[in-house]
Amino acid sequence: AQSVTQLDSHVSVSEGTPVLLRCNYSSSYSPSLFWYVQHPNKGLQLLLKYTSAATLVKGINGFEAEFKKSETSFHLTKPSAHMSDAAEYFCVVISYGGATNKLIFGTGTLLAVQP
Amino acid sequence: DGGITQSPKYLFRKEGQNVTLSCEQNLNHDAMYWYRQDPGQGLRLIYYSQIVNDFQKGDIAEGYSVSREKKESFPLTVTSAQKNPTAFYLCASSMGQTYTGELFFGEGSRLTVL
């Protein structure tokens, strides 16, 4: 079965410092992985996706993630945090099989950015 | 502008009442989904529909019902049978009938049962 584990429920950084949000995955085949962002009381927005092309994936708003098969990780990073990055971030994997595919969401990491 | 519109944004309900949450999209997407979000639990799939007049149960369908009479509309009814309905409900859509992982979300409806 496919699953994702977000290793931190809360991360706090200062504005202008790097961001690292950690995600490990479990999959019996080459996974398709995603990061979504949710600002307070809003819907989710796709940040970036990995679908077995380049292992370093660039997304919107300066975020990127690196797929590491040997570590079964797909961590999200940004070189310099901005106040507007404060939000909840979800790591997601596609589970294939059965009548249809479905998305498996992690439990989320809440990012706080201090001035 | 294209997008997904959910209404109402906030809803209060007394125990024993059914409520219906609206979801409309003008993206011409084939598939639509309803998710429930609870703090610390990520998103869980309630129902999904890949084509008009057809829908399937997700992981937590008990106490919910849906319809898909039009491509652009996918309303969710939270029935009195749902034991713990207080939650944030998110509607989403995707372009094709198969999950590609790229979902477009509405801004959600927050239901509180008094």
Side-chain angles (χ1 to χ4, degrees):
Chain A
Q2 282 62 249
S3 67
V4 288
T5 301
Q6 293 185 242
L7 300 173
D8 307 292
S9 58
H10 293 82
V11 170
S12 182
V13 301
S14 298
E15 191 174 21
T17 64
V19 175
L20 170 63
L21 305 182
R22 300 183 295 163
C23 174
N24 286 353
Y25 70 89
S26 173
S27 178
S28 52
Y29 42 74
S30 182
S32 294
L33 293 158
F34 308 80
W35 278 98
Y36 278 83
V37 60
Q38 183 182 31
H39 288 91
N41 293 310
K42 299 290 186 183
L44 280 70
Q45 180 185 18
L46 180 65
L47 267 183
L48 50 81
K49 63 178 180 179
Y50 166 77
T51 54
S52 73
T55 56
L56 183 61
V57 182
K58 294 188 182 299
I60 61 173
N61 300 334
F63 283 93
E64 62 183 35
E66 186 170 9
F67 175 75
K68 292 188 176 180
K69 185 176 180 179
S70 60
E71 299 176 11
T72 62
S73 69
F74 189 57
H75 300 336
L76 182 70
T77 60
K78 183 174 181 177
S80 176
H82 191 271
M83 295 296 290
S84 61
D85 295 328
E88 190 159 22
Y89 293 79
F90 292 92
C91 183
V92 184
V93 66
I94 291 183
S95 175
Y96 294 100
T100 187
N101 307 329
K102 64 177 184 179
L103 299 186
I104 308 297
F105 285 80
T107 52
T109 298
L110 190 61
L111 175 65
V113 182
Q114 310 299 328
Chain B
D1 288 337
I4 298 179
T5 302
Q6 289 187 240
S7 63
K9 194 169 180 68
Y10 298 95
L11 184 62
F12 297 89
R13 182 193 102 174
K14 293 182 180 179
E15 284 192 19
Q17 290 181 334
N18 292 354
V19 294
T20 297
L21 308 181
S22 170
C23 178
E24 302 278 332
Q25 55 102 355
N26 60 5
L27 299 167
N28 199 33
H29 284 175
D30 291 311
M32 297 186 74
Y33 314 86
W34 274 106
Y35 286 92
R36 171 179 170 140
Q37 185 176 22
D38 297 283
Q41 294 193 42
L43 274 67
R44 293 180 290 170
L45 182 64
I46 305 172
Y47 268 97
Y48 63 98
S49 168
Q50 295 169 296
I51 196 169
V52 175
N53 292 323
D54 188 44
F55 49 83
Q56 285 78 39
K57 293 181 179 179
D59 299 319
I60 56 165
E62 184 175 352
Y64 300 98
S65 65
V66 294
S67 62
R68 187 88 187 275
E69 297 176 359
K70 299 185 295 183
K71 186 175 184 179
E72 58 269 25
S73 179
F74 192 42
L76 174 74
T77 297
V78 184
T79 75
S80 56
Q82 168 50 234
K83 295 178 182 177
N84 185 20
T86 295
F88 191 50
Y89 292 88
L90 288 160
C91 179
S93 69
S94 63
M95 192 176 303
Q97 296 180 14
T98 304
Y99 260 109
T100 62
E102 296 186 51
L103 299 183
F104 292 79
F105 283 86
E107 295 206 337
S109 293
R110 187 168 298 280
L111 172 64
T112 302
V113 174
L114 304 174

